[in-house]
Amino acid sequence: MLTRNPYEPLRSETLPARLGNLPEMTGRLGSAEGWRVREVGDGNLNLVFIVESTIGSVVVKQALPYARVVGESWPMSLDRAFFEYHALTRLGARDPGRLPALHLFDEGQALQIMEHLSPHIILRRGLIAGTFYPALGEHLGRYLARTLFRGSDLSMDTARRKADVALFAGNVELCGITEDLFFTDPFWDCPRNRHTPALAAQVTVVRADRDLKLAALEMKARFCMCAQTLLHGDMHTGSVMVSDTDTRVIDAEFAAYGPMGFDVGSLLGNLWMAYFAQAGHRADDAGGDAYRSWILQLAETVWEVFVAEFSLLWRTERGGILGGRELFENQADPLGAELMLHGLLADIWSDALGFAGIEMHRRILGLAHIPEFETIAEEERRAACERRALAAGRELAVHRRAFLTIAQVSDLVAGIEARAR
Ligand code: ADP
Ligand code: MG
């Protein structure tokens, strides 16, 4: 058993000897002599290995006792692997097939062995390359609706729900990182921050922008105080892997109970940033314009499919603590239930826009940046893209209740882009 040994990080060279006796490995790969191991972790926190043989492949993910992006000077508990495991199994059951299958979790080694997604790539890479994914919007909209609905009081009974909230309340370290990195750091001169130097004037404006800072703290309060459902908690385009026909969600270690709009808004904010980054990656010709329009359409599809699927689940599956059928359907008043649905969707929508707007700030002014902008080598060009994203992000965060439809957001985003040309 792995767990009898004290925790030790794997290395490509030691992995076959250390995992070579596990049936979860040998059953899929054959004996360890034939394994090829590559460390591919490009994330911020953990080790990720692809282990292949002539007959199969798996992914081995292991937490490190520090944040990989910063180094040993930022110690981090290994517990995050435990929360990722519990989130992966729950989210995977709520939208079957959308997360990688888990083969083994070993708590002592903070290690998961899971399905190797292939030929999938990280969605961010596909968006930088200008690739179209026809089914992506539907997959993501449905994923969000199913996981957020089925993880909430609209589905869970009291005993399961309270036990689960208590369990995930233990994910304090990663929750605390989100609280700081998302909602606070970008809006003051925090030493962890960095930004493209040409944005200096913009940064001064942001930090003096009281309305924006109010919005940031209001969204932080929503995130901290509204334990509406089990979130993925890091639902950006770097946590989605895609092939031509398939879409998968990975990396749920930031899972926490929070407001439904958080996962929705994180994803939408990243799609709108991918839109603004296009000017740094391709010519302003018909091809560039077509791809930009597709990204806006993708965001619209995600939201529209989310609404449709959430409404379907509401009508067909609603139960749990907040089901409320006794008050409406069972008294021949289905309209009451529809009104409740309508109000909830309106709250999720304004929350999502608020979270999207804050995400669009923290990815440009905070610690963790995104490859869409980072790979634009020429500084002035990168800064121009980032400025547009900040302008849109501010509108969304501050005026989140003024947007009634996603078409209005598409108009905002396209308008900012058009005026800048
Ligand atoms: P971190 O928690 O450190 O951010 P991730 O879970 O995001 O780690 O994984 C880092 C990288 O490893 C991903 O960007 C992806 O390229 C690769 N990866 C992770 N899980 C899988 C998987 N199941 N199949 C294929 N590649 C994966
Ligand atoms: Mg991660």
Side-chain angles (χ1 to χ4, degrees):
M1 271 293 287
L2 277 169
T3 30
R4 292 219 193 93
N5 303 321
Y7 168 84
E8 190 189 329
L10 291 163
R11 286 182 288 115
S12 298
E13 310 82 64
T14 60
L15 187 146
R18 291 189 57 204
L19 307 187
N21 291 329
L22 294 174
E24 290 80 2
M25 295 291 282
T26 53
R28 290 178 176 86
L29 300 169
S31 78
E33 295 87 69
W35 299 359
R36 290 184 308 282
V37 186
R38 285 182 287 144
E39 209 275 314
V40 297
D42 60 357
N44 290 333
L45 297 181
N46 303 291
L47 294 171
V48 178
F49 300 90
I50 293 176
V51 189
E52 290 170 300
S53 75
T54 51
I55 58 170
S57 59
V58 298
V59 158
V60 177
K61 177 169 178 177
Q62 188 181 33
L64 287 164
Y66 54 85
R68 180 181 177 145
V69 65
V70 175
E72 296 186 29
S73 63
W74 186 346
M76 269 183 103
S77 139
L78 297 170
D79 293 350
R80 63 187 186 276
F82 170 86
F83 294 109
E84 180 166 357
Y85 155 70
H86 280 289
L88 179 66
T89 48
R90 283 160 180 70
L91 298 174
R94 288 169 190 159
D95 189 15
R98 200 54 71 209
L99 282 87
L102 182 73
H103 304 322
L104 176 82
F105 168 61
D106 186 284
E107 191 175 349
Q109 296 298 326
L111 176 148
Q112 298 166 77
I113 300 172
M114 65 179 121
E115 179 185 4
H116 174 211
L117 302 171
S118 176
H120 302 61
I121 61 165
I122 288 289
L123 175 56
R124 288 193 191 289
R125 303 281 161 197
L127 295 174
I128 292 170
T131 310
F132 295 93
Y133 298 99
L136 177 63
E138 254 183 60
H139 289 164
L140 290 174
R142 270 208 308 268
Y143 163 83
L144 288 167
R146 290 175 181 177
T147 57
L148 300 177
F149 184 94
R150 291 177 172 155
S152 77
D153 289 359
L154 296 163
S155 182
M156 288 172 84
D157 65 37
T158 306
R160 262 175 65 226
R161 156 77 169 184
K162 307 302 178 201
D164 217 49
V165 171
L167 183 118
F168 281 94
N171 201 7
V172 279
E173 204 170 14
L174 271 61
C175 212
I177 290 177
T178 301
E179 288 162 5
D180 293 340
L181 260 57
F182 232 88
F183 300 102
T184 318
D185 289 6
F187 306 100
W188 71 282
D189 188 19
C190 176
R192 286 192 290 229
N193 291 340
R194 68 189 168 83
H195 57 80
T196 303
L199 291 183
Q202 196 80 32
V203 171
T204 308
V205 170
V206 163
R207 303 223 168 115
D209 187 340
R210 181 185 288 148
D211 290 340
L212 177 60
K213 290 187 288 184
L214 264 173
L217 272 191
E218 284 163 7
M219 296 321 297
K220 185 173 188 175
R222 290 290 288 158
F223 179 75
C224 301
M225 303 192 311
C226 176
Q228 199 173 21
T229 193
L230 180 68
L231 300 172
H232 175 283
D234 203 16
M235 189 57 209
H236 53 74
T237 44
S239 295
V240 176
M241 295 192 75
V242 284
S243 71
D244 289 347
T245 53
D246 190 28
T247 308
R248 301 296 194 99
V249 176
I250 63 165
D251 196 16
E253 67 194 324
F254 279 84
Y257 273 81
M260 295 181 179
F262 186 76
D263 277 359
V264 179
S266 299
L267 181 66
L268 293 178
N270 277 274
L271 294 180
W272 292 320
M273 283 190 283
Y275 173 98
F276 286 114
Q278 292 303 314
H281 296 297
R282 51 190 47 81
D284 290 335
D285 57 11
D289 286 343
Y291 197 65
R292 256 189 290 273
S293 302
W294 179 77
I295 296 179
L296 286 187
Q297 186 56 56
L298 172 63
E300 293 188 12
T301 304
V302 168
W303 175 250
E304 284 158 6
V305 171
F306 171 82
V307 170
E309 180 73 8
F310 196 93
S311 303
L312 177 74
L313 295 174
W314 179 275
R315 289 167 195 141
T316 57
E317 264 191 29
R318 195 168 93 257
I321 304 168
L322 274 179
R325 285 177 190 275
E326 311 83 336
L327 306 193
F328 299 120
E329 286 92 335
N330 297 359
Q331 294 184 43
D333 181 19
L335 183 61
E338 291 297 304
L339 287 171
M340 202 171 138
L341 169 64
H342 188 79
L344 177 55
L345 285 171
D347 286 345
I348 297 171
W349 171 240
S350 61
D351 278 357
L353 295 186
F355 290 124
I358 301 305
E359 169 76 356
M360 292 165 83
H361 282 79
R362 74 114 177 173
R363 294 295 191 171
I364 296 170
L365 307 179
L367 169 76
H369 288 224
I370 57 174
E372 283 88 331
F373 293 132
E374 295 298 286
T375 54
I376 303 171
E378 199 191 316
E379 187 187 314
E380 196 34 65
R381 209 167 169 201
R382 181 167 75 243
C385 296
E386 291 176 330
R387 266 187 216 107
R388 295 172 209 168
L390 289 174
R394 184 194 187 273
E395 282 304 299
L396 294 177
V398 173
H399 300 299
R400 59 191 179 279
R401 293 192 190 86
F403 293 89
L404 295 181
T405 65
I406 193 158
Q408 284 174 273
V409 181
S410 296
D411 287 347
L412 167 81
V413 167
I416 289 173
E417 182 76 13
R419 277 195 296 282
R421 305 263 195 86

